[in-house]
Amino acid sequence: MASPGCADPTPTPVTSFNRGALAVAAEGCDVYWIAPFSALAGVYRAPRTGGDATQLASVLSFQDDAYDWGLAVDGGIAFFAETGDAGISPHVGRVARVDGAGHVTELARGQPLPCRSGGHPRRVTLDATHVYWTEDSGRFIGDLDDPGLPPDPVCHTTADFRWVRSVPKGGGVARTLAQISSLNVAVDERFIYYTRGDALLRLDKRSLEEKVVVSGLAFDQGIGRETVLHQAGAAIYVGGHDGCLYTVQRQNGLVRTVCPGPESTQGRVIALASD
C-alpha cells in the first residue's frame, strides 16, 4: 500500500542506479537501500515512484571485505551497520546514523574480544530510543592448544556465536546485552526477542532479566542458515528448519506453524516483513 500522498505505480524500477541493492527499507515516499558494489558502495535514497538516487553515506564494499549490512529508517534518519573485516583487511565494523547526505555519525564500533578480531555488526533494529544490532564475535586469533590463552571462554572455542548490542539513537555508550544465535532481533516496548539453541527468549530492556518464551523449536543452525525474526502485533514470527515459519504469541508462548516450508530440504527464511 502506498503511503498517503504517494502515487501507487505499477511495478517499475525505482532507479537505474546499477550497483546492487541490499537491506532495503521504505518510509513515506522514499526507498532506502545499501549498494554493496564498487567504489560507489553506500547508503542510497530514491523516490519510491522512481527517480535519481541520492548517496547518503559511503560503506565498505564487497571488495573491501565487508560481507553484510543492516539498515533501518525512522523519521528520515537512516541507521546502518556494516560488518567490516571479513578477510585479511584491518577494517572494523561500525554502526552509524545518517541525518542527510554526507551527515554521518558513528554510534559504535565492533567490540574487541579476547583472542578475536574486532566484532562485525550485522542487522539493525530500532525502538523509540535505541538502536539494536547483532554482532558476530570476529575470527579466532591464536592457537587453541596454547596453554597461555587467557581464561576467558571466548579464547577456548571456535564455535560461531554473536551478541546483541544497543546504543541510544542520539549517541552514547554502547552496551552488550546477551549472547544469541539468531541473525537479527525483534523488539517491542519492553522486550528484546532472539534465539539461542532451540529456544526463543526475551530480555527485559530495563532489568536485563532473560526468560525463555518457548523451547524445542527446530531451527537451521550454522553459517549462512541463521534464524531470522519479525515482530508484528501480538506475535513473533520466526524462521524455522528447512524454510518453515513459526508464529509465537508473545504473552503465552503459544506456537503455530504458519508455513511448513517447501518440500525440498533446501528451504531458507532469510528475511521477514509484514503489512
Side-chain angles (χ1 to χ4, degrees):
M1 179 183 294
S3 298
C6 302
D8 190 11
T10 56
T12 183
V14 171
T15 178
S16 60
F17 184 77
N18 188 23
R19 291 294 181 272
L22 295 173
V24 179
E27 183 184 70
C29 295
D30 293 314
V31 176
Y32 299 75
W33 71 94
I34 291 179
F37 298 111
S38 83
L40 296 177
V43 181
Y44 286 84
R45 180 185 65 211
R48 63 190 296 165
T49 53
D52 293 333
T54 299
Q55 183 173 7
L56 302 177
S58 297
V59 300
L60 296 175
S61 73
F62 277 129
Q63 291 87 343
D64 293 317
D65 284 332
Y67 64 94
D68 196 18
W69 299 263
L71 176 67
V73 181
D74 182 25
I77 299 173
F79 298 86
F80 71 90
E82 58 181 2
T83 55
D85 174 18
I88 61 173
S89 301
H91 301 301
V92 176
R94 63 171 176 160
V95 174
R97 62 177 281 159
V98 188
D99 292 88
H103 297 285
V104 182
T105 302
E106 184 176 288
L107 299 176
R109 296 177 73 80
Q111 65 177 334
L113 293 171
C115 309
R116 291 182 178 270
S117 61
H120 304 316
R122 301 191 68 180
R123 302 301 171 87
V124 174
T125 308
L126 307 176
D127 68 8
T129 59
H130 283 71
V131 184
Y132 303 86
W133 69 95
T134 53
E135 185 169 307
D136 289 358
S137 59
R139 291 171 297 149
F140 180 81
I141 299 174
D143 181 359
L144 281 174
D145 296 323
D146 183 356
L149 282 180
D152 194 295
V154 302
C155 293
H156 294 269
T157 178
T158 56
D160 300 315
F161 61 91
R162 59 176 57 96
W163 309 91
V164 55
R165 305 183 67 203
S166 73
V167 70
K169 285 181 175 178
V173 177
R175 296 196 302 169
T176 300
L177 303 176
Q179 184 176 325
I180 70 173
S181 57
S182 53
L183 182 57
N184 69 325
V185 299
V187 299
D188 61 18
E189 296 81 1
R190 183 176 175 183
F191 298 108
I192 307 164
Y193 299 86
Y194 47 84
T195 65
R196 187 167 60 236
D198 67 353
L200 174 68
L201 303 98
R202 72 184 190 194
L203 185 76
D204 189 296
K205 295 177 183 177
R206 293 186 178 180
S207 68
L208 299 186
E209 178 185 2
E210 186 181 75
K211 180 179 179 180
V212 174
V213 179
V214 63
S215 61
L217 297 174
F219 296 137
D220 288 328
Q221 305 288 346
I223 293 296
R225 299 185 68 84
E226 297 96 340
T227 305
V228 296
L229 299 86
H230 174 70
Q231 187 269 322
I236 303 294
Y237 290 83
V238 188
H241 184 59
D242 287 337
C244 81
L245 181 64
Y246 301 116
T247 178
V248 182
Q249 294 300 309
R250 292 184 292 166
Q251 297 300 320
N252 57 20
L254 181 65
V255 179
R256 183 167 63 93
T257 300
V258 178
C259 176
E263 293 182 5
S264 166
T265 59
Q266 300 303 311
R268 276 180 63 199
V269 178
I270 60 173
L272 293 165
S274 63
D275 62 11

